[in-house]
Amino acid sequence: CGFHLRDALKLPVGLGPLKVVSVDSRSPLADTLAQALTRAGAVPAEPRDSKATVLQVLAERWGDTPIAVDSFGRSQEYSLRYAVIFELRKGDGTVVVPKQTVELSRDYISIPDNSAGTEGEREILMRELRREMAASVLRRIEAVARRSGGVEGDSGEPSAIPDGPVAADAAKAALKALEAMEAEGNDVAPPADPEPTPPPEPKTPR
Amino acid sequence: RSSDRNQPMDIDAGATSGTLDDRQPTVLSGGVTIKQGTLHIEAGQATVSTRGGDPVRAVLTGGPVRLRQQMDDGTQMNAVANKVDYDLTTEIVVFTDTVRIQQPRGSLSGERVVYNMRTGQVNSGGEGNGRVKMRIVPRNAGTTPAPGGG
Amino acid sequence: ADDNDDWGLCPIEDAVPTFGDAPDPVGTPEQRIEQPTDIAGDALAGQKEDAVFQGNVALNRGDQFLGTDKLTFNQDTGKYVAEGNVRYQDSGMRIVANRASGDQNTDEHQIEDLRYQLTERRGNGGAERIELKGKQGALLGSTYSTCPPSQRAWELRAHRIDIDTEEGMGVARNAVLRVGKVPVLYVPWLMFPIDDRRRTGLLYPAIALSGRNGFDWKQPIYLNLAPNYDATLNPRYMSKRGAMLGGEFRWLYPQGNGLVSGNWMPDDKLPENDPDRYLNRPDGSPRPGATLPGSNRGQVLIRASHNFSRSWYARANLGWISDTHYLEDFSNSLYGISNYSVQSSVGLYGRGRGWDLGLMADHQRLTDYTLTEESLRYNRLPRAYANWTRTFGRWFETGINAEAVRFQHTSDLRNAAGFEVKGEGSRVDLKPYISMPLEGAAWFINPKLAWRYTAYQLDRGLATQLAQQQAQVIAGRAANGRPNPIPAGLVDSLYDDAPVRSLPISSLDAGLFFDRHTQIRGDSYLHTLEPRLYYLNVPYENQDDQPLFDTNDMTFSWGQLFRDNRYTGADRQTDAEQLTLAVTSRLISESDGRERLAASLGQIHYLEDSRVTTAPGGQIIEKGKSAWVAEVSVSPSDRWNIAATYQWDPKFRRQDLASLRARYLIGEAGVVNLSYRYRRDLTEQADFSFLYPINQNWSVVGRHYYSMLDHKPLETIAGVQWESCCLAVRLVGRRYLRNRTGELNNSLQVEFELKGLGSAGQNTERVLRRAILGYDRDDLYLVPPSSVTAGEADNSPDPTL
């Protein structure tokens, strides 16, 4: 039925040295991803190398909300949610894997009058969700790499990474052009703001 | 100064043509300077008409005409225009064509400015003679008037 | 609304259109005095003292511009008079009027019967007279609104409005607020912001009327103490209960941040009005030792974090609530009363590549009167844990998970023998392991051998209690079910205050990856097939002599198929000889890597009985098959998100779990959630919630959260919101479980939001964000999270007061 053993992953050759950058320097996700990508053949880049390909973890969020209450209104089932927004782009800004979101969740029970062990279960679930998140981010990168890297009947030279959705690239190209012009000193007025920017309310940090 | 009127007026020019009698005005050219007391005028060319031997009217043109005079309060007034019509009897000076009058307290510019030296009255613009612009420098902004503007 | 106002619905129309001939205002009011004044006009006449400009006169100085037909100006005194379609503009506002006069030297101006528009902010209106002095301005007999003149939804008329563009505030005195044509509110004094700087001042009052609190006025005051710390005070008055003060202090510094928030109510009259709710149990029987918690009720929450270095940081998360009725008496949402205990924890943590450890302590406090302190979890005072792992050689990985905890319990109830019912003790659990994780592109295999050594030090009461439990099981029960007497000496022989458990855990996790390229409706997908097996072998060791400090059954789920322990903590290590067979299949879009479908099916084959139980004599797991576990998650497009799980137990031919969750995102802001959940003998509930934007102005919200098992709704919400350019009106009716006796409470909340001026009425948005997941897209992870810090699951109680 067409299924075959997965062939070796060839990370696209144009990727070059790669580094993983995370918004939360404390979360282990970035390390796990970096190790997995190195095992898959990526060359780790220097943190300060601005030309390197970047796997950027843009946002990482945990949520632990009660999703079911008993007849007295006491919460008895929780949903532990873990969501990550990531993007893979090359040094020159072209997008390899477009910005996207992965959301995983695990439900667990905690009966109000016998809630011992809830802490332990949540910690186990958090560890499992971290492993599962790293795996699912990698799966997404592999799927894109596989399509572009392993196109059958290719004349040996792996086809260049097709650009991501045109809109994202057009914006990036325009940005690049703007910066280039400013760099040359001619006076380019910043794109006029079509609408008067709405004046926000006083920002009271909650 | 208002006392300038009683001062002798001496005029020298590169070249003069015509006589000093009243029938037709003398034309001075080739760089004319007129001095009378603190009043000091330089122009490319001047046409002076006299009556009874005394100059009654001078029309100065050419290269910007420059006029400098000290006011009664000691402040200096400089004026520049392409054409200046100075009627000595009424002491009314009519500046026309890119006029700029510079005083420590500010500057005035326009296409046509009528300045009555006896009353200090200044009229400008009107009847399609372009915009009048005046710049007043803030009181404590030091001595030299701010350049440009208007 | 706390996030900034959305002016998207406003027509592009200025109350006072920009002046074509005026230069953009540049510079600030302070710089005006040093700037030269330029005057231009068609004609000039006049002495040096009073020059008279005529015809399309324009006066410019710094950011000020004055256009008029005729201007009389005295150079020396700086006084001027402008008559005939006067147009004034500076960095703060634009004005159109008939006559203006003033003094440029002292920067004072008076303008009569004018229309104005603020430029840094959306305010506009008219006035009989305005007196400007530098940055201050006083509008007399004036109106203010953020609505465009063509849709005057609301307007504030005031005898006098002082506007201070430097402070960025407007103060209206004896003002009448009109909504449409109807005067709605008379306010002797009202301050409102005219730009977005943080400044000390009153925020918008929350006014409510409820059966329980009576007239309820909360007036938050914001204190902008310093760039990196600020505070909010919340004085509140409830006519039926008394006055209350809330407050929150937030600080931020390079290494960390934190907040302290609390509420204090010296004397609450609610308990006196309804004493038996506190003194008796729901069934009416008196509650021993119950007192009326009328005085000094309150809540304190401290949350702080400090980073020592990249690897080391400290966290504190402390909570205190005065009495067990507090949550119920002070919250008005289902979410508010769903918590039943408060956990305070403080700890020092470290994390690096391949290791993480922590030294922490946590403490539980009961906040629910239908439970007793015995139902609380054990406090861990302190708990030290460390996990370390390292690869060595080409194939091996070794590591250790270690934990040492001292367990102590809040309840000090004693049993007949005088021993504490919740005995205390400490436990050390070490689990060194070695594994050989081998993997290729299409396969992985990970044999792992671990040794778990767990030792206890128990106090006498607990050890005796455990011995008695075991003895009772051994003595068994008589035919009529009554427990037989325990033979003498049996308890003493079983007594052991330092039980030890030491056993090996061997497991094998292996899997294969098959995939193929496939086309579905024109899109190319990578279709994967991932069979996986997990073998676990752990010898049996009787653990009835061990207490249950922090251990319980794990919720049976997909993850349970691949775990080496059926229990959540170290007090019990399951014995097992089992083999899990499972398969997962995914459809991953090849264009952008998004996973469109993932389906998994798995089951555990118990090759031997699993005899370790939480309570001596408990139900064991017999040889045979576990329940089937099936999970499917589908998101055909970015707007759909569907997840379903199902567990079918073949032995008893019944379903253990059936749950479905579907979410659909409508347009930019709409969302529909549908979820059904059945857990055998526990719950059967359905929850349907939505925020549906009908058009730009109208949107409806709703929720119906029904429990089939209890045959009643737990929360029902119906609401409608009308929003225009400058006015938003929210009407939300709610019926929710108000207290532990199951009574439902109706509440109708009306909120007028005068965009740019403030909102009067209850903050409905916060309640809706809890009830309808996705009501605020921010909660849906699409934008960086705002409420949950990364790294921890934030579950502190949140009574939406």
mmCIF file of all heavy atoms in Angstrom, chain B residues 61-85:
data_model
loop_
_atom_site.group_PDB
_atom_site.id
_atom_site.type_symbol
_atom_site.label_atom_id
_atom_site.label_comp_id
_atom_site.label_asym_id
_atom_site.label_seq_id
_atom_site.Cartn_x
_atom_site.Cartn_y
_atom_site.Cartn_z
ATOM 1 N N THR B 61 17.531 101.170 -8.715
ATOM 2 C CA THR B 61 17.243 99.800 -9.186
ATOM 3 C C THR B 61 18.586 99.056 -9.360
ATOM 4 O O THR B 61 19.648 99.571 -9.044
ATOM 5 C CB THR B 61 16.584 99.844 -10.590
ATOM 6 O OG1 THR B 61 17.493 100.601 -11.432
ATOM 7 C CG2 THR B 61 15.224 100.508 -10.551
ATOM 8 N N GLY B 62 18.452 97.847 -9.918
ATOM 9 C CA GLY B 62 19.657 97.097 -10.280
ATOM 10 C C GLY B 62 20.165 96.313 -9.110
ATOM 11 O O GLY B 62 19.833 96.625 -7.948
ATOM 12 N N GLY B 63 20.943 95.234 -9.401
ATOM 13 C CA GLY B 63 21.485 94.384 -8.314
ATOM 14 C C GLY B 63 20.705 94.681 -7.069
ATOM 15 O O GLY B 63 20.088 95.738 -6.998
ATOM 16 N N PRO B 64 20.538 93.948 -6.112
ATOM 17 C CA PRO B 64 19.622 94.371 -5.035
ATOM 18 C C PRO B 64 20.054 95.718 -4.450
ATOM 19 O O PRO B 64 21.265 95.940 -4.281
ATOM 20 C CB PRO B 64 19.717 93.293 -3.969
ATOM 21 C CG PRO B 64 20.996 92.596 -4.232
ATOM 22 C CD PRO B 64 21.292 92.756 -5.718
ATOM 23 N N VAL B 65 19.056 96.558 -4.305
ATOM 24 C CA VAL B 65 19.352 97.845 -3.683
ATOM 25 C C VAL B 65 19.456 97.623 -2.176
ATOM 26 O O VAL B 65 18.610 96.959 -1.568
ATOM 27 C CB VAL B 65 18.195 98.856 -3.965
ATOM 28 C CG1 VAL B 65 18.479 100.169 -3.262
ATOM 29 C CG2 VAL B 65 17.994 99.008 -5.463
ATOM 30 N N ARG B 66 20.534 98.121 -1.541
ATOM 31 C CA ARG B 66 20.687 97.917 -0.081
ATOM 32 C C ARG B 66 20.522 99.253 0.605
ATOM 33 O O ARG B 66 21.107 100.258 0.166
ATOM 34 C CB ARG B 66 22.090 97.378 0.209
ATOM 35 C CG ARG B 66 22.304 95.982 -0.326
ATOM 36 C CD ARG B 66 23.672 95.416 0.053
ATOM 37 N NE ARG B 66 23.901 94.215 -0.747
ATOM 38 C CZ ARG B 66 23.263 93.063 -0.528
ATOM 39 N NH1 ARG B 66 22.400 92.990 0.488
ATOM 40 N NH2 ARG B 66 23.452 92.013 -1.304
ATOM 41 N N LEU B 67 19.756 99.243 1.695
ATOM 42 C CA LEU B 67 19.522 100.495 2.425
ATOM 43 C C LEU B 67 19.766 100.252 3.895
ATOM 44 O O LEU B 67 19.327 99.237 4.444
ATOM 45 C CB LEU B 67 18.062 100.930 2.201
ATOM 46 C CG LEU B 67 17.594 102.252 2.811
ATOM 47 C CD1 LEU B 67 16.621 102.945 1.850
ATOM 48 C CD2 LEU B 67 16.888 102.009 4.152
ATOM 49 N N ARG B 68 20.567 101.112 4.507
ATOM 50 C CA ARG B 68 20.856 100.925 5.950
ATOM 51 C C ARG B 68 20.561 102.214 6.679
ATOM 52 O O ARG B 68 20.895 103.298 6.169
ATOM 53 C CB ARG B 68 22.372 100.611 6.135
ATOM 54 C CG ARG B 68 22.653 99.197 6.567
ATOM 55 C CD ARG B 68 24.041 98.923 7.065
ATOM 56 N NE ARG B 68 25.090 99.889 6.783
ATOM 57 C CZ ARG B 68 25.827 99.916 5.646
ATOM 58 N NH1 ARG B 68 25.538 99.086 4.661
ATOM 59 N NH2 ARG B 68 26.795 100.820 5.491
ATOM 60 N N GLN B 69 19.930 102.121 7.790
ATOM 61 C CA GLN B 69 19.685 103.349 8.546
ATOM 62 C C GLN B 69 19.582 103.011 10.025
ATOM 63 O O GLN B 69 19.166 101.913 10.409
ATOM 64 C CB GLN B 69 18.357 103.991 8.081
ATOM 65 C CG GLN B 69 18.163 105.376 8.675
ATOM 66 C CD GLN B 69 16.896 106.025 8.148
ATOM 67 O OE1 GLN B 69 15.936 105.308 7.864
ATOM 68 N NE2 GLN B 69 16.900 107.346 7.983
ATOM 69 N N GLN B 70 19.977 103.965 10.857
ATOM 70 C CA GLN B 70 19.891 103.728 12.292
ATOM 71 C C GLN B 70 18.591 104.374 12.791
ATOM 72 O O GLN B 70 18.265 105.502 12.426
ATOM 73 C CB GLN B 70 21.092 104.388 13.008
ATOM 74 C CG GLN B 70 21.404 103.731 14.325
ATOM 75 C CD GLN B 70 22.701 104.325 14.883
ATOM 76 O OE1 GLN B 70 22.924 105.538 14.780
ATOM 77 N NE2 GLN B 70 23.552 103.470 15.413
ATOM 78 N N MET B 71 17.869 103.649 13.552
ATOM 79 C CA MET B 71 16.582 104.155 14.061
ATOM 80 C C MET B 71 16.839 105.112 15.217
ATOM 81 O O MET B 71 17.941 105.151 15.776
ATOM 82 C CB MET B 71 15.729 102.975 14.587
ATOM 83 C CG MET B 71 15.277 102.016 13.511
ATOM 84 S SD MET B 71 14.057 102.810 12.447
ATOM 85 C CE MET B 71 14.851 102.587 10.871
ATOM 86 N N ASP B 72 15.821 105.845 15.576
ATOM 87 C CA ASP B 72 15.974 106.772 16.709
ATOM 88 C C ASP B 72 16.363 105.999 17.963
ATOM 89 O O ASP B 72 17.138 106.471 18.794
ATOM 90 C CB ASP B 72 14.630 107.497 16.957
ATOM 91 C CG ASP B 72 14.352 108.421 15.754
ATOM 92 O OD1 ASP B 72 15.356 108.664 15.031
ATOM 93 O OD2 ASP B 72 13.206 108.793 15.517
ATOM 94 N N ASP B 73 15.877 104.717 18.110
ATOM 95 C CA ASP B 73 16.210 103.996 19.364
ATOM 96 C C ASP B 73 17.566 103.296 19.229
ATOM 97 O O ASP B 73 17.889 102.399 19.980
ATOM 98 C CB ASP B 73 15.116 102.979 19.697
ATOM 99 C CG ASP B 73 14.996 101.953 18.561
ATOM 100 O OD1 ASP B 73 15.897 101.954 17.664
ATOM 101 O OD2 ASP B 73 14.029 101.158 18.544
ATOM 102 N N GLY B 74 18.347 103.730 18.169
ATOM 103 C CA GLY B 74 19.707 103.202 18.097
ATOM 104 C C GLY B 74 19.779 101.864 17.390
ATOM 105 O O GLY B 74 20.843 101.388 17.040
ATOM 106 N N THR B 75 18.613 101.213 17.156
ATOM 107 C CA THR B 75 18.705 99.901 16.485
ATOM 108 C C THR B 75 18.945 100.131 15.004
ATOM 109 O O THR B 75 18.587 101.170 14.442
ATOM 110 C CB THR B 75 17.370 99.136 16.652
ATOM 111 O OG1 THR B 75 16.336 100.003 16.134
ATOM 112 C CG2 THR B 75 17.099 98.821 18.110
ATOM 113 N N GLN B 76 19.552 99.124 14.371
ATOM 114 C CA GLN B 76 19.943 99.225 12.957
ATOM 115 C C GLN B 76 18.865 98.613 12.091
ATOM 116 O O GLN B 76 18.304 97.581 12.438
ATOM 117 C CB GLN B 76 21.259 98.414 12.788
ATOM 118 C CG GLN B 76 21.862 98.436 11.419
ATOM 119 C CD GLN B 76 22.519 99.786 11.112
ATOM 120 O OE1 GLN B 76 22.887 100.504 12.055
ATOM 121 N NE2 GLN B 76 22.599 100.156 9.849
ATOM 122 N N MET B 77 18.535 99.290 10.965
ATOM 123 C CA MET B 77 17.545 98.727 10.034
ATOM 124 C C MET B 77 18.247 98.516 8.700
ATOM 125 O O MET B 77 18.899 99.414 8.181
ATOM 126 C CB MET B 77 16.369 99.717 9.860
ATOM 127 C CG MET B 77 15.196 99.150 9.072
ATOM 128 S SD MET B 77 15.358 99.427 7.301
ATOM 129 C CE MET B 77 14.601 101.065 7.194
ATOM 130 N N ASN B 78 18.139 97.277 8.189
ATOM 131 C CA ASN B 78 18.700 97.022 6.840
ATOM 132 C C ASN B 78 17.550 96.641 5.936
ATOM 133 O O ASN B 78 16.655 95.903 6.373
ATOM 134 C CB ASN B 78 19.649 95.810 6.879
ATOM 135 C CG ASN B 78 20.893 96.151 7.704
ATOM 136 O OD1 ASN B 78 21.467 97.186 7.491
ATOM 137 N ND2 ASN B 78 21.180 95.301 8.687
ATOM 138 N N ALA B 79 17.599 97.102 4.722
ATOM 139 C CA ALA B 79 16.523 96.719 3.780
ATOM 140 C C ALA B 79 17.174 96.361 2.453
ATOM 141 O O ALA B 79 18.212 96.932 2.070
ATOM 142 C CB ALA B 79 15.561 97.889 3.577
ATOM 143 N N VAL B 80 16.567 95.399 1.802
ATOM 144 C CA VAL B 80 17.075 94.974 0.485
ATOM 145 C C VAL B 80 15.861 94.873 -0.425
ATOM 146 O O VAL B 80 14.802 94.394 -0.009
ATOM 147 C CB VAL B 80 17.745 93.585 0.619
ATOM 148 C CG1 VAL B 80 18.104 93.056 -0.759
ATOM 149 C CG2 VAL B 80 18.985 93.683 1.501
ATOM 150 N N ALA B 81 15.972 95.394 -1.629
ATOM 151 C CA ALA B 81 14.857 95.248 -2.587
ATOM 152 C C ALA B 81 15.444 95.438 -3.978
ATOM 153 O O ALA B 81 16.547 95.981 -4.137
ATOM 154 C CB ALA B 81 13.806 96.326 -2.332
ATOM 155 N N ASN B 82 14.674 94.942 -5.000
ATOM 156 C CA ASN B 82 15.214 95.129 -6.358
ATOM 157 C C ASN B 82 14.951 96.553 -6.859
ATOM 158 O O ASN B 82 15.625 97.047 -7.758
ATOM 159 C CB ASN B 82 14.546 94.102 -7.305
ATOM 160 C CG ASN B 82 15.179 92.713 -7.035
ATOM 161 O OD1 ASN B 82 16.234 92.642 -6.395
ATOM 162 N ND2 ASN B 82 14.507 91.660 -7.459
ATOM 163 N N LYS B 83 13.918 97.235 -6.231
ATOM 164 C CA LYS B 83 13.644 98.602 -6.713
ATOM 165 C C LYS B 83 13.220 99.439 -5.508
ATOM 166 O O LYS B 83 12.424 98.966 -4.690
ATOM 167 C CB LYS B 83 12.510 98.553 -7.753
ATOM 168 C CG LYS B 83 12.087 99.925 -8.322
ATOM 169 C CD LYS B 83 11.230 99.731 -9.582
ATOM 170 C CE LYS B 83 10.860 101.094 -10.199
ATOM 171 N NZ LYS B 83 9.674 101.690 -9.435
ATOM 172 N N VAL B 84 13.788 100.607 -5.363
ATOM 173 C CA VAL B 84 13.438 101.489 -4.239
ATOM 174 C C VAL B 84 13.078 102.866 -4.809
ATOM 175 O O VAL B 84 13.835 103.449 -5.579
ATOM 176 C CB VAL B 84 14.658 101.628 -3.274
ATOM 177 C CG1 VAL B 84 14.318 102.641 -2.179
ATOM 178 C CG2 VAL B 84 15.006 100.277 -2.667
ATOM 179 N N ASP B 85 11.857 103.318 -4.385
ATOM 180 C CA ASP B 85 11.431 104.655 -4.848
ATOM 181 C C ASP B 85 11.335 105.557 -3.608
ATOM 182 O O ASP B 85 10.427 105.403 -2.794
ATOM 183 C CB ASP B 85 10.063 104.511 -5.529
ATOM 184 C CG ASP B 85 9.615 105.853 -6.113
ATOM 185 O OD1 ASP B 85 10.158 106.896 -5.653
ATOM 186 O OD2 ASP B 85 8.757 105.826 -7.003
#
